Amino acid sequence: MAQPWKKKTCYWMKAMLLALWFSGIHVLADAAAAVSKEQNQLRFSKEGQFKILQVADMHFGDGKSTPCKNVLPNQMRGCSDLNTSAFIHRMIQAEKPHLIVFTGDNIYGKDAKDAVASLNAAFAPALSSNIPWAAVLGNHDQQSTLSREGVMKYIVGMKHSLSQLNPPGVNIIDGFGNYNLEVSGVEGSSLHNKSVLNLYFLDSGDYSTVPSISGYGWIKPSQQFWFQRTSKKLRRAYMSNPEGQKSAAPGLAYFHIPLPECASFDSSNFTGVKQEGISSASVNSGFFTTMVEAGDVKAAFTGHDHLNDFCGELLGIHLCYAGGFGYHAYGKAGWARRARVVLATLEEREKGGWGEVKSIKTWKRLDDKHLTVIDAQVLWSKTSAGSRRKKKIGGI
Ligand SMILES: *[C@@H]1O[C@H](CO)[C@@H](O)[C@H](O)[C@H]1NC(C)=O
Ligand SMILES: *[C@@H]1O[C@H](CO)[C@@H](O)[C@H](O)[C@H]1NC(C)=O
Ligand SMILES: *[C@@H]1O[C@H](CO)[C@@H](O)[C@H](O)[C@H]1NC(C)=O
């Protein structure tokens, strides 16, 4: 009895696999562009450091003709998207990051006549710096002349962009711009060929398409499944070293829309400010729990709420906003536009050479005369991680 049924399933599955294989061809073609990026391998510096500049919510429009929003009355004149570009230039000069991450609403589609022109202008400072960069989508990027897929495809093809459309070999995943980047140990060190810091990028969507659910999008099960598998694969590869790393390499996640868990903090347990509500999806799709389970992600960085710039820690994971960056994005007059920096530092080994990630720090800089540094804090450190974790769990 069971035989014919089994056979049928088998044919059905074969047909299905064949269909998947064909639909996979275009995915592979898209991935081909990423192959040449292999030599653009991210790596810790000779000083054992890796620094990431996060730019959230540029909201780029048409450039010079697109005015600033929410600046002081005496700052309105001559203020435009060009001020956003100038701020990126200054941040790059001041911090000299190894990677620039744009966490969505890179362009404000409604006010961009031509998506390609707007994207070119928005990312121009990153391109001209010759620093590798990566981007994810927000909820406004697709509101000009390109779809979400179109915007992400265009971003993937830009100079020095390490962004990817979606993971190669994965045929069914929601959104555009789900990918990971590996940061290898110092050149010539024993961890030269190991990813000692893992970066995850996810498309947190735009708006709900489910009639009974209102509001913003969320990270779907298909994306979480990809994250789970990727994290597991990376943990295995890292700990299968002859040197035998005892725990997973730390990870950082970047996406646009904050998780509902951001609402579990107040000024008694976050660093920074909260000046507006948490505009997460109206449902909780469980990505925070998925990250806690995986165990490697130490911090997740978002944008979306321009007036919030805090970091708070829940169950060993910091949830951090970058604060609004762009001048055409809503903001608060007199409250400076800002950016977040993350610095990962390796441990120095006795016999010279560099080891695993020792600490992850963050701070923000304001777009004022001196690019003032504020809210410097340690997000994670190797030695204290174990005991802190234990304390937290004991306290529940
Ligand atoms: C915008 O840029 C112009 C030209 O550099 C400058 O004069 C002005 O102060 C800037 N405005 C703000 C709000 O930074
Ligand atoms: C890393 O891999 C390259 C190429 O496979 C090899 O030549 C090199 O010796 C490896 N380095 C270390 C430290 O394992
Ligand atoms: C932060 O503190 C508030 C009390 O002020 C508490 O209700 C909340 O659970 C705390 N959040 C975390 C993540 O510890």
Side-chain angles (χ1 to χ4, degrees):
M1 275 295 276
Q3 277 318 69
W5 178 84
K6 238 186 190 169
K7 220 169 186 177
K8 230 183 192 165
T9 317
C10 195
Y11 282 128
W12 181 82
M13 272 180 62
K14 269 185 187 156
M16 187 70 178
L17 283 172
L18 207 65
L20 282 176
W21 184 77
F22 278 118
S23 69
I25 286 175
H26 91 275
V27 176
L28 287 177
D30 288 327
V35 171
S36 65
K37 285 170 183 167
E38 281 290 323
Q39 66 243 63
N40 217 338
Q41 175 64 52
L42 296 173
R43 186 174 287 295
F44 274 74
S45 73
K46 293 264 181 257
E47 293 76 36
Q49 297 193 325
F50 191 80
K51 193 192 269 184
I52 303 169
L53 166 63
Q54 181 190 358
V55 174
D57 302 90
M58 282 195 286
H59 278 231
F60 217 88
D62 288 335
K64 200 175 161 185
S65 62
T66 300
C68 296
K69 287 182 184 170
N70 307 114
V71 291
L72 295 169
N74 65 351
Q75 293 178 318
M76 270 311 284
R77 235 187 102 118
C79 190
S80 72
D81 277 344
L82 301 189
N83 289 66
T84 304
S85 305
F87 183 27
I88 306 185
H89 272 300
R90 295 177 73 214
M91 281 302 298
I92 292 172
Q93 300 260 306
E95 293 286 359
K96 298 183 173 55
H98 301 106
L99 177 72
I100 308 167
V101 176
F102 297 91
T103 49
D105 285 2
N106 310 297
I107 62 171
Y108 186 68
K110 286 179 188 169
D111 292 337
K113 283 196 199 83
D114 174 39
V116 166
S118 186
L119 289 165
N120 283 343
F123 295 117
L127 267 67
S128 66
S129 72
N130 291 330
I131 294 169
W133 59 278
V136 290
L137 301 181
N139 51 300
H140 289 303
D141 292 280
Q142 76 288 350
Q143 291 169 335
S144 180
T145 52
L146 287 177
S147 63
R148 288 179 84 71
E149 184 175 14
V151 170
M152 201 60 216
K153 273 188 171 162
Y154 189 74
I155 287 173
V156 166
M158 292 176 85
K159 210 172 107 192
H160 306 309
S161 167
L162 299 183
S163 318
Q164 292 164 34
L165 187 62
N166 269 329
V170 176
N171 296 292
I172 300 167
I173 190 163
D174 288 276
F176 303 98
N178 301 286
Y179 55 103
N180 71 296
L181 293 173
E182 305 179 5
V183 188
S184 303
V186 175
E187 184 145 31
S189 73
S190 60
L191 295 173
H192 174 105
N193 290 336
K194 288 275 177 184
S195 178
V196 296
L197 178 69
N198 292 309
L199 309 176
Y200 301 97
F201 302 86
L202 294 111
D203 180 2
S204 53
D206 50 6
Y207 303 95
S208 169
T209 54
V210 180
S212 55
I213 302 173
S214 62
Y216 294 107
W218 55 88
I219 296 173
K220 304 280 168 67
S222 65
Q223 298 167 279
Q224 298 186 46
F225 185 52
W226 162 77
F227 162 80
Q228 255 175 345
R229 273 184 319 181
T230 307
S231 164
K232 192 171 184 177
K233 202 177 72 195
L234 291 165
R235 278 179 278 147
R236 278 210 185 125
Y238 189 64
M239 292 192 276
S240 72
N241 207 45
E243 291 215 12
Q245 272 75 232
K246 304 259 175 331
S247 51
L252 305 172
Y254 286 91
F255 46 92
H256 182 69
I257 300 174
L259 297 176
E261 282 78 4
C262 281
S264 51
F265 307 109
D266 63 22
S267 55
S268 74
N269 45 34
F270 65 51
T271 303
V273 296
K274 178 181 170 186
Q275 303 177 114
E276 63 176 313
I278 311 297
S279 300
S280 51
S282 63
V283 290
N284 190 334
S285 72
F287 187 52
F288 181 77
T289 312
T290 300
M291 286 194 293
V292 174
E293 274 184 343
D296 61 334
V297 173
K298 305 306 172 195
F301 302 92
T302 58
H304 193 53
D305 298 329
H306 312 168
L307 301 184
N308 295 340
D309 75 348
F310 65 84
C311 273
E313 186 188 355
L314 181 63
L315 299 176
I317 299 179
H318 273 89
L319 300 176
C320 298
Y321 281 101
F325 189 100
Y327 279 91
H328 186 57
Y330 76 82
K332 187 174 158 185
W335 191 69
R337 261 57 175 190
R338 58 203 58 212
R340 182 174 290 284
V341 178
V342 167
L343 176 68
T345 307
L346 301 181
E347 62 185 357
E348 206 163 0
R349 296 216 165 136
E350 276 183 32
K351 282 176 265 167
W354 299 97
E356 301 180 82
V357 174
K358 183 181 72 180
S359 72
I360 300 173
K361 293 178 187 143
T362 188
W363 58 86
K364 286 165 293 187
R365 277 192 190 255
L366 309 181
D367 190 18
D368 58 16
K369 197 170 165 208
H370 300 290
L371 290 173
T372 307
V373 173
I374 61 164
D375 296 340
Q377 64 182 122
V378 175
L379 294 178
W380 178 80
S381 65
K382 199 184 165 195
T383 43
S384 69
S387 55
R388 236 197 298 152
R389 193 77 189 251
K390 227 178 254 162
K391 210 171 75 201
K392 268 262 149 65
I393 288 167
I396 289 169

